[in-house]
């Protein structure tokens, strides 16, 4: 049966950009997707939709089938901004404190064993800022040594005139690299992961319960053919807790569908402070009535690509059980030249889940959220991914957890 109406609840990752930015992204990317698909979308204006919710309506024509979707952006960007230091010195400090905290709390070794690109992504701020500091220090030492050996001030001034432009160009290059690799963003994300594990983020527990109530109320109204919960990046962690809360009040015969994209659930679940989150994850993963599909891309170093997040963390959870783990197949969505162009742009890769493809592909975010097929039906023939170990460390292979703690 074709979907005629749908409600989408979207929970973003750790991103201070709010609903207006995501509405603009959705509208622009939907127009691009129309060039390579038969789906035609009319994306309405955003509007306030109650506390901490902004929505927009989407009218779709999917090969002659009309579909109405209400896309509800669940807002927690105000909480994010409270944990978004703007001073450069603060993010530099995080680059050095985060790895130590992750190491002593049992996260870093698990990340390295499971996905070396994700480990490298986490260490990039530390590596980059350490290299920059050492380069500046070395430059100062060399200049001091040269200066001490010169007696003619004119030679010294001429040398400085040559070195200053070179130093400026080096600074611009490093700033550009910093922007492309999103190093300050990564430092803030990982710092919040530690705060979230400790449950000290002010207002987050109340927001979690509020989001859960919105979902329960929508499902119980029963006015749409599909209620779809979409979570991106670190928003997947928050959404696990939202769904664990919602499942207390959802009837077994009436469930939404959960879709996680580019998730980093194990980053929180491996933290020794996060027993509460591991219980939330178990609740959601073991709910037989809740459909859960998890999408990732092997090229995305900001997630645990093609790995079952519950099986990675819970020692007795089979890899073949929920969630169903699927690839968005980036090579099908983008030409090789385009993939090479954006490969080192962490933001561009990590947001491909929400963007248009440049050629027809099975994974189409706009068909999923606004088209005439349910998410389950669309991917019913795809088996879950099992045994993807290509990104595991070969020097220090991962051992499956054998006890309750990770």
């Amino acid at each position: 049966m074709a979907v005629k109406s749908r409600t989408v609840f979207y929970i973003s990752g750790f991103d201070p950009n709010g609903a207006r930015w995501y509405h603009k992204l959705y509208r622009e990317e939907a127009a691009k997707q129309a060039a390579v698909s038969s789906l035609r979308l009319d994306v309405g204006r955003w509007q306030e939709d109650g506390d901490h919710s902004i929505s927009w309506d989407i009218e779709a024509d999917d090969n002659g089938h009309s579909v109405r979707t209400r896309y509800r952006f669940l807002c927690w960007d105000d909480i994010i901004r409270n944990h978004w230091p703007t001073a450069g010195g603060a993010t530099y400090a995080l680059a050095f404190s985060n790895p130590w905290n992750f190491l002593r709390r049992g996260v870093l070794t698990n990340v390295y064993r499971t996905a070396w690109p994700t480990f490298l992504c986490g260490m990039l701020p530390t590596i980059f800022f350490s290299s920059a500091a050492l380069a500046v220090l070395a430059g100062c030492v060399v200049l001091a040594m040269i200066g001490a050996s010169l007696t003619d001030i004119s030679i010294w001034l001429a040398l400085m005139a040559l070195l200053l432009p070179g130093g400026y160009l080096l600074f611009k290059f490093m700033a550009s690299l910093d922007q492309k690799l999103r190093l300050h963003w990564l430092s803030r994300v990982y710092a919040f992961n530690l705060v979230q594990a400790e449950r000290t983020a002010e207002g987050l527990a109340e927001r979690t319960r509020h989001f859960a109530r919105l979902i329960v109320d929508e499902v119980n109204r029963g006015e749409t053919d599909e209620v779809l919960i979409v979570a991106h990046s670190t928003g997947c962690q928050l959404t696990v807790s939202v769904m664990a809360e919602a499942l207390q009040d959802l009837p077994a015969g009436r469930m939404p569908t959960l879709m996680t994209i580019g998730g980093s659930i194990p980053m929180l679940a491996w933290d020794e402070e996060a027993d509460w989150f591991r219980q939330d994850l178990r609740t959601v993963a073991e709910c037989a009535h809740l459909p859960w599909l998890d999408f990732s891309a092997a090229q995305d170093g900001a997630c645990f690509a093609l790995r079952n997040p519950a099986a990675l963390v819970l020692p007795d959870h089979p890899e073949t059980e929920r969630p169903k783990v699927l690839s968005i197949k980036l090579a099908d969505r983008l030409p090789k030249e385009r993939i090479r162009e954006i490969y080192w742009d962490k933001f561009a890769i990590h947001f491909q889940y929400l963007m248009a493809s440049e050629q027809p592909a099975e994974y189409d975010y706009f068909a999923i959220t606004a088209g005439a097929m349910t998410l389950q039906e669309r991917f019913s023939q795809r088996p879950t991914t099992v045994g993807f170990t290509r990104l595991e460390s070969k020097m220090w292979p991962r051992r499956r957890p054998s006890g309750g703690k990770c």
Side-chain angles (χ1 to χ4, degrees):
M1 182 182 71
V3 173
K4 295 181 180 178
S5 60
R6 173 189 290 107
T7 299
V8 174
F9 289 96
Y10 177 81
I11 298 179
S12 76
F14 191 76
D15 185 351
N17 290 311
R20 299 181 190 184
W21 186 89
Y22 278 88
H23 172 258
K24 181 174 181 289
L25 176 70
Y26 190 99
R27 184 177 56 193
E28 292 177 350
E29 294 299 318
K32 295 176 184 176
Q33 188 65 46
V36 295
S37 74
S38 58
L39 183 67
R40 297 294 176 264
L41 301 182
D42 181 10
V43 181
R45 300 181 63 181
W46 65 268
Q47 57 189 346
E48 293 187 4
D49 191 18
D51 292 341
H52 310 300
S53 174
I54 288 178
S55 69
W56 53 91
D57 292 328
I58 306 166
E59 298 285 348
D61 183 337
D62 189 354
N63 290 309
H65 295 283
S66 296
V67 186
R68 173 185 284 268
T69 296
R70 170 150 289 190
Y71 195 104
R72 301 186 68 179
F73 184 98
L74 301 185
C75 306
W76 67 297
D77 46 290
D78 56 324
I79 296 174
I80 294 169
R81 283 191 290 273
N82 290 336
H83 295 271
W84 190 270
T86 55
T91 53
Y92 295 144
L94 292 176
F96 295 100
S97 63
N98 286 340
W100 163 246
N101 287 322
F102 278 127
L103 181 63
R104 68 182 181 84
R105 284 158 63 161
V107 179
L108 201 61
T109 52
N110 278 315
V111 174
Y112 177 71
R113 288 168 172 170
T114 304
W116 65 263
T118 308
F119 173 83
L120 179 60
C121 188
M123 292 300 295
L124 272 176
T126 307
I127 295 169
F128 180 87
F129 294 136
S130 298
S131 301
L134 287 173
V136 170
L137 179 60
C140 291
V141 170
V142 170
L143 284 176
M145 292 174 63
I146 293 174
S149 65
L150 292 178
T151 56
D152 190 338
I153 188 65
S154 61
I155 298 177
W156 169 255
L157 292 175
L159 180 63
M160 290 298 295
L162 291 173
L163 290 177
L164 284 176
Y168 174 76
L169 291 175
L170 178 61
F171 172 79
K172 292 292 288 183
F173 169 74
M174 296 186 76
S176 173
L177 193 60
D178 177 13
Q179 177 64 21
K180 178 169 286 192
L181 296 177
R182 307 283 172 167
L183 300 176
H184 289 278
W185 172 55
L186 289 172
S187 293
R188 295 175 179 120
V189 170
Y190 294 131
F192 184 77
N193 196 97
L194 297 164
V195 172
Q196 193 173 2
E198 297 164 353
R199 308 187 85 171
T200 55
E202 185 177 353
L204 190 60
E206 294 79 4
R207 195 67 54 87
T208 299
R209 289 192 289 270
H210 177 65
F211 289 169
R213 175 48 51 190
L214 291 177
I215 292 168
V216 169
D217 290 346
E218 181 65 29
V219 172
N220 286 337
R221 271 195 293 270
E223 297 176 353
T224 58
D225 299 322
E226 181 182 40
V227 177
L228 180 61
I229 319 300
V230 181
H232 178 228
S233 190
T234 50
C236 299
Q237 302 169 5
L238 175 59
T239 303
V240 165
S241 296
V242 169
M243 292 308 301
E245 181 82 20
L247 285 172
Q248 299 179 35
D249 299 311
L250 285 171
R254 190 185 299 164
M255 283 282 169
T257 299
L258 175 59
M259 175 183 177
T260 48
I261 49 181
S264 54
I265 290 169
M267 286 291 293
L268 179 57
W270 277 325
D271 196 305
E272 64 180 21
E273 301 286 334
D275 277 329
W276 62 272
F277 182 71
R278 287 189 284 277
Q279 184 55 53
D280 285 352
L281 179 58
R282 184 177 292 280
T283 298
V284 175
E286 295 183 354
C287 178
H289 306 288
L290 175 68
W292 180 8
L293 283 75
D294 180 84
F295 293 88
S296 56
Q299 298 86 350
D300 182 8
C303 73
F304 292 87
L306 304 178
R307 301 303 298 268
N308 185 312
L312 283 176
V313 175
L314 306 176
D316 54 348
H317 191 85
E319 197 174 2
T320 55
E321 295 299 318
R322 279 170 301 279
K324 177 185 277 192
V325 177
L326 299 173
S327 171
I328 69 168
K329 297 183 178 179
L330 201 59
D332 290 347
R333 292 170 45 78
L334 302 175
K336 291 180 180 179
E337 299 76 19
R338 176 62 176 155
I339 295 175
R340 283 196 294 267
E341 179 185 336
I342 66 173
Y343 187 79
W344 290 105
D345 188 333
K346 297 303 177 187
F347 187 88
I349 289 287
H350 196 50
F351 271 75
Q352 280 301 310
Y353 310 96
L354 305 174
M355 301 177 76
S357 61
E358 296 183 16
Q359 51 204 27
E362 183 180 28
Y363 178 89
D364 180 337
Y365 185 69
F366 305 95
I368 289 170
T369 55
M373 293 177 67
T374 65
L375 177 66
Q376 281 186 279
E377 182 183 1
R378 186 176 297 277
F379 294 96
S380 61
Q381 301 305 312
R382 286 269 303 275
T384 190
T385 301
V386 176
F388 184 83
T389 59
R390 180 157 57 91
L391 303 180
E392 284 190 354
S393 166
K394 304 304 180 185
M395 293 189 298
W396 194 2
R398 180 179 178 274
R399 297 186 299 273
R400 188 172 175 80
S402 56
K405 278 213 167 184
C406 304

